[in-house]
Amino acid sequence: MRKILIALLLIVVAAAAWPIYVGVQIENALDNAYTGHAGGLRIHHAVTRYERERYGAHATSVLQVSGKGLDFEVELEHRIDHRLLGAAVQTRTVPGRSAGRIPAPWAAVLAQARPRADSWLGLGGGISSRLSSRPVLISGDADPEAEPLPFRLHLGAGQGGVAYSPERMVLSFDTDLLDLAEGQERLLLEQLYFGLVVHPEPDGGYGSLPDYDIGLGSQLISLTLGNREVLGLESLQMSSNQNSAADRLDSLWRVRAEELRSVGLELETLDLQLTALRWHRPTLLRFMEDLEGVRAMALAADLQTGLLLGMLLDGLQRMIEHDPLLRGHLRLNSEPGKHVRLNMDLGLSGDAEDFAARPLESIALDLDLEAGLALLEEVAALLETETGLEATEAMDLETLLELAVSEEWAQIENGILSSRLRMEDGRLLINGRDQTVLLLALVFGFARGMF
């Protein structure tokens, strides 16, 4: 009986002390400030007030955004309920509690959307949140102090999620409508979705070049100018992923759409894919750091271009021994005679010394192109109409095609233009014919003033 009473006493003590332990762990987790960068913006979040009770807490934090002409902060309120294995957190923006130079449209969006997050914060440090926002409808001048321009924003209700753990970070958001108009320009997106998963770098941290998987899409994207559609996409899907292994980095970018419309041209089945293989991560990280340094110098345009070119060549010399490869595929339109097919492999091989002495011999290029003449003629006619210029002898498509065939740069058969280009050991072959002289002329023309 005595043992039972002791056990019950221990259970009671543990039950009484457990909420305090949970509260201390949650407070320590939230007390850590966070600073990150996205798209040139600096984002900083820190708790400014924390009042812990036995079974819950109330906290206030400040979210600061700066960079690209922005410098403002938004105050957030948090209601925290302690649970057995963590805490449930409700986060709301504080109406009217923002400071700094927050643009008027952003402030109006924030006031109407009233974003909220319902989160779960585990004892192990992981956090997951459900995000939601109300519909937004704003019209008026984009900036009352600037020249008046008709401005309208209609954003549907949004929902999404955020999750963080030492193994990965997840961000998602979707909405049924985004309609933005300013002046004569209008951008309309329907059924928009976005998803991002970020994985730690090989050293276990989240740095400037992490592994990731990203997806972005929309059922409809329409960009209009007045009553005229400049660009339209149906069922657009964009995806990208990046994976690291030791010092090697592989990346993939892909864009697909069922239909593409542009200034009167209608195409279907767009599929564009780019793959980067065997890129050297340390070289890319160093290039990114050097690039930030060059931007901070505020040099003249010509000096900046020369410095960037030197940095690029230096980076390629360090990367070449890893045999980097860039692979591309393009499929456009399925209608016979109006299609485009393109396959390309571009790589580097050799060593740094050979690249410094004879860079062209280190480049390997393999390109196959096939395009329907009917599509080329349609594009040429549209360009002529858009520019308002009559075709000259130099611009005439028929003249250019005759020149390409006579010089054996291209072959035309049954209304299909095709060309095969190979570059290896410093020699350029187009449809099996040596065109190295043309390659050297292009190189010296491009590098004019650099030697």
Side-chain angles (χ1 to χ4, degrees):
M1 185 66 179
R2 184 178 179 182
K3 293 182 179 180
I4 295 176
L5 291 176
I6 293 175
L8 290 175
L9 179 61
L10 291 176
I11 293 174
V12 171
V13 172
W18 186 255
I20 299 176
Y21 172 77
V22 172
V24 171
Q25 298 301 312
I26 297 302
E27 182 177 1
N28 292 337
L30 291 177
D31 194 46
N32 296 326
Y34 167 80
T35 301
H37 296 80
L41 296 176
R42 178 183 180 272
I43 302 174
H44 178 77
H45 178 262
V47 174
T48 57
R49 179 183 63 87
Y50 197 96
E51 298 177 356
R52 179 162 52 87
E53 302 171 354
R54 184 176 181 84
Y55 297 104
H58 291 82
T60 302
S61 65
V62 173
L63 179 67
Q64 298 176 333
V65 179
S66 59
K68 291 192 172 182
L70 300 176
D71 186 8
F72 65 89
E73 60 184 38
V74 177
E75 190 171 358
L76 306 174
E77 285 186 345
H78 312 274
R79 177 184 172 184
I80 305 163
D81 294 324
H82 298 159
R83 305 289 175 82
L84 182 61
L85 299 177
V89 184
Q90 294 183 352
T91 302
R92 309 290 184 267
T93 58
V94 181
R97 299 288 292 275
S98 59
R101 295 177 298 173
I102 180 169
W106 285 42
V109 169
L110 193 62
Q112 289 193 30
R114 297 180 64 181
R116 56 182 291 173
D118 296 303
S119 309
W120 172 258
L121 185 61
L123 294 181
I127 184 172
S128 60
S129 301
R130 296 193 310 272
L131 308 177
S132 62
S133 61
R134 297 183 178 183
V136 173
L137 179 58
I138 298 174
S139 61
D141 296 337
D143 187 350
E145 298 180 359
E147 182 180 353
L149 288 174
F151 174 82
R152 185 184 73 255
L153 171 64
H154 187 190
L155 178 64
Q159 49 278 323
V162 176
Y164 170 83
S165 70
E167 292 77 27
R168 65 176 184 173
M169 291 190 295
V170 181
L171 174 64
S172 65
F173 183 80
D174 64 83
T175 183
D176 59 353
L177 177 67
L178 172 60
D179 189 353
L180 176 63
E182 184 172 3
Q184 295 294 315
E185 299 178 353
R186 182 189 179 194
L187 175 63
L188 174 65
L189 296 92
E190 296 180 353
Q191 303 300 323
L192 173 68
Y193 69 88
F194 168 79
L196 171 65
V197 179
V198 183
H199 308 277
E201 294 185 351
D203 60 2
Y206 293 95
S208 55
L209 198 62
D211 291 352
Y212 66 84
D213 294 273
I214 186 172
L216 174 66
S218 181
Q219 186 64 32
L220 169 67
I221 297 181
S222 178
L223 177 62
T224 56
L225 182 60
N227 296 324
R228 180 183 180 213
E229 186 177 56
V230 178
L231 176 66
L233 292 164
E234 300 277 354
S235 300
L236 175 68
Q237 300 178 29
M238 303 173 62
S239 60
S240 176
N241 64 70
Q242 186 165 278
N243 298 290
S244 301
D247 288 341
R248 169 175 169 167
L249 184 144
D250 300 326
S251 302
L252 168 68
W253 303 271
R254 189 172 188 182
V255 179
R256 290 171 290 177
E258 292 184 2
E259 183 179 342
L260 183 150
R261 303 182 300 274
S262 179
V263 291
L265 184 67
E266 295 187 5
L267 303 172
E268 60 180 20
T269 316
L270 167 66
D271 191 344
L272 172 63
Q273 181 173 317
L274 292 175
T275 306
L277 300 174
R278 300 186 297 274
W279 289 57
H280 192 226
R281 290 189 78 257
T283 298
L284 292 176
L285 287 170
R286 178 174 174 180
F287 181 79
M288 292 169 63
E289 293 176 358
D290 294 342
L291 185 60
E292 290 297 325
V294 171
R295 290 175 177 173
M297 293 179 186
L299 300 174
D302 55 342
L303 295 177
Q304 190 176 80
T305 300
L307 186 57
L308 290 175
L309 180 60
M311 290 165 45
L312 179 61
L313 293 176
D314 181 63
L316 291 177
Q317 288 185 51
R318 294 197 300 270
M319 191 180 293
I320 190 172
E321 64 183 24
H322 303 279
D323 296 326
L325 174 67
L326 182 64
R327 178 170 294 163
H329 304 281
L330 172 64
R331 302 291 184 270
L332 183 61
N333 223 23
S334 58
E335 183 178 347
K338 297 183 65 175
H339 66 279
V340 175
R341 304 286 185 271
L342 175 66
N343 296 319
M344 180 198 72
D345 288 344
L346 175 62
L348 295 176
S349 61
D351 54 46
E353 293 183 0
D354 291 339
F355 181 77
R358 298 177 298 276
L360 293 181
E361 296 182 10
S362 302
I363 301 175
L365 175 63
D366 191 341
L367 185 148
D368 290 322
L369 170 66
E370 183 178 288
L373 288 182
L375 178 61
L376 297 180
E377 293 170 354
E378 191 172 341
V379 171
L382 285 173
L383 290 176
E384 181 181 335
T385 302
E386 289 300 310
T387 57
L389 300 176
E390 295 183 0
T392 63
E393 183 177 350
M395 297 172 57
D396 182 69
L397 177 62
E398 184 177 353
T399 302
L400 293 176
L401 292 178
E402 290 178 355
L403 176 63
V405 173
S406 64
E407 295 291 338
E408 299 185 21
W409 299 339
Q411 300 173 347
I412 297 178
E413 185 176 354
N414 298 325
I416 305 296
L417 180 144
S418 61
S419 182
R420 187 173 186 180
L421 187 149
R422 301 287 182 273
M423 182 176 172
E424 191 174 3
D425 297 328
R427 298 176 61 231
L428 175 65
L429 301 176
I430 302 180
N431 296 321
R433 182 183 177 189
D434 195 319
Q435 300 277 8
T436 307
V437 174
L438 175 62
L439 172 64
L440 296 175
L442 292 174
V443 170
F444 281 105
F446 175 76
R448 185 175 56 182
M450 296 184 183
F451 298 101

